[in-house]
Amino acid sequence: MADTGGSAFSQSDVDNYAARLATVRERIAAACRRAGRDPAEVRLLPISKTVPAPLLRAAYAAGMTALGENKVQEAKGKWQAMADLPLSWSIVGHLQTNKARDVARFADEFQALDSLRVAEALDRRLEVEDRTLDVFVQVNTSGEESKFGLSPDEVAAFARELPAFSRLKVKGLMTLAIFSADEARVRRCFRLLRDLRDRLRAEAPAGLSFEQLSMGMSGDFEIAIEEGATLVRVGQAIFGPRPTKDADYWPGAAGIS
Ligand SMILES: *Cc1c(COP(=O)(O)O)cnc(C)c1O
């Protein structure tokens, strides 16, 4: 018998996820209405880090077909445990070049591209696998030293190098806003990303599309949508609080969320 990744889930897990998903979708729609935007423009990517595979089967049953993970190792384990489901995997966390091979094998999207070394490693591995990968360039919009991502003034030059990597399908920019209770400071991060995207649209090399803006998490996705997000990455608002600390994912996180 196939290993289904542990004990089975219950119908109440499915109902619970379906209800939370519906609530988040309503909040997305409300933020879109406030901003005069069409909710169809905003993709919701559930971020399933720390949620074990058996529960993610319930998430799938509740309608989640694409999942985002911060760490490649964890994503790989879940991909293997749920290979029987038509799930698509998005890696949203910093990547070491020695993990490029795994990403090239099973991921459909990588949202944290911030170095040519990683671009090169991914492109080479994708060639071997005969696959392509949707990518987002991660930008550090908060200016915090601890955050991954290119500084805003490096992005245009970086973009000019990307056509060399034919297996990478550039979709847009990604950021994490500052973790702050001060809404104006959070909003400033999102605005910066949008302005950068608008400039890239005008200057980007032919064939590269920077249309998408991946920004906004459980604590700030409504602000991100008001500032133009086309993709929000939502974990805890769907899956509940995590047992891990945010500093496990982005060094130096102050833990205000
Ligand atoms: C965990 C994570 C998220 C989701 O965070 P929540 O606060 O759970 O919504 C979004 N983006 C990245 C890069 C993450 O690692």
Side-chain angles (χ1 to χ4, degrees), residues 68-91:
E69 289 280 336
N70 188 291
K71 293 180 195 259
V72 177
Q73 202 62 27
E74 184 176 343
K76 187 183 174 187
K78 292 173 182 176
W79 167 66
Q80 287 169 332
M82 293 184 284
D84 56 309
L85 298 181
L87 281 167
S88 109
W89 294 96
S90 180
I91 303 296

Side-chain angles (χ1 to χ4, degrees), residues 33-257:
R33 277 195 297 275
R34 283 198 298 280
R37 300 185 59 198
D38 178 355
E41 291 171 16
V42 182
R43 178 179 147 211
L44 168 61
L45 176 65
I47 305 293
S48 52
K49 64 195 188 207
T50 78
V51 183
L55 274 179
L56 290 179
R57 288 180 177 275
Y60 174 76
M64 299 183 228
T65 54
L67 296 172
E69 289 280 336
N70 188 291
K71 293 180 195 259
V72 177
Q73 202 62 27
E74 184 176 343
K76 187 183 174 187
K78 292 173 182 176
W79 167 66
Q80 287 169 332
M82 293 184 284
D84 56 309
L85 298 181
L87 281 167
S88 109
W89 294 96
S90 180
I91 303 296
V92 299
H94 184 72
L95 186 66
Q96 236 99 57
T97 50
N98 63 4
K99 296 275 170 40
R101 182 181 177 185
D102 286 333
V103 173
R105 273 182 72 201
F106 72 85
D108 293 301
E109 184 175 84
F110 173 55
Q111 295 205 6
L113 184 64
D114 64 359
S115 82
L116 291 175
R117 282 184 61 223
V118 168
E120 209 271 322
L122 284 171
D123 195 60
R124 188 155 29 90
R125 286 298 175 178
L126 288 160
E127 191 76 39
V128 174
E129 300 288 336
D130 194 21
R131 295 185 75 232
T132 62
L133 185 68
D134 291 350
V135 297
F136 289 67
V137 175
Q138 184 173 357
V139 183
N140 179 347
T141 52
S142 66
E144 295 164 289
E145 281 201 13
S146 60
K147 290 269 173 72
F148 292 116
L150 296 172
S151 78
D153 57 8
E154 294 172 319
V155 177
F158 185 76
R160 283 193 288 275
E161 305 289 335
L162 293 179
F165 309 110
S166 62
R167 298 273 166 173
L168 302 182
K169 305 296 169 200
V170 178
K171 295 294 169 185
L173 303 176
M174 178 274 224
T175 201
L176 280 88
I178 192 165
F179 295 102
S180 168
D182 181 350
E183 193 181 303
R185 294 176 72 196
V186 173
R187 196 176 286 278
R188 215 175 296 142
C189 294
F190 295 144
R191 264 194 202 152
L192 205 162
L193 199 73
R194 186 187 60 203
D195 289 347
L196 203 54
R197 192 269 318 264
D198 292 348
R199 260 180 286 143
L200 278 174
R201 262 181 180 162
E203 298 166 8
L208 285 197
S209 155
F210 278 96
E211 290 303 306
Q212 305 268 335
L213 289 175
S214 173
M215 55 189 199
M217 311 179 11
S218 292
D220 57 17
F221 71 82
E222 282 131 325
I223 304 173
I225 288 169
E226 288 168 12
E227 297 302 332
T230 64
L231 193 166
V232 292
R233 308 178 308 270
V234 179
Q236 296 176 90
I238 297 170
F239 294 107
R242 274 188 296 272
T244 48
K245 296 187 300 296
D246 279 351
D248 295 351
Y249 302 97
W250 38 88
I256 316 160
S257 55

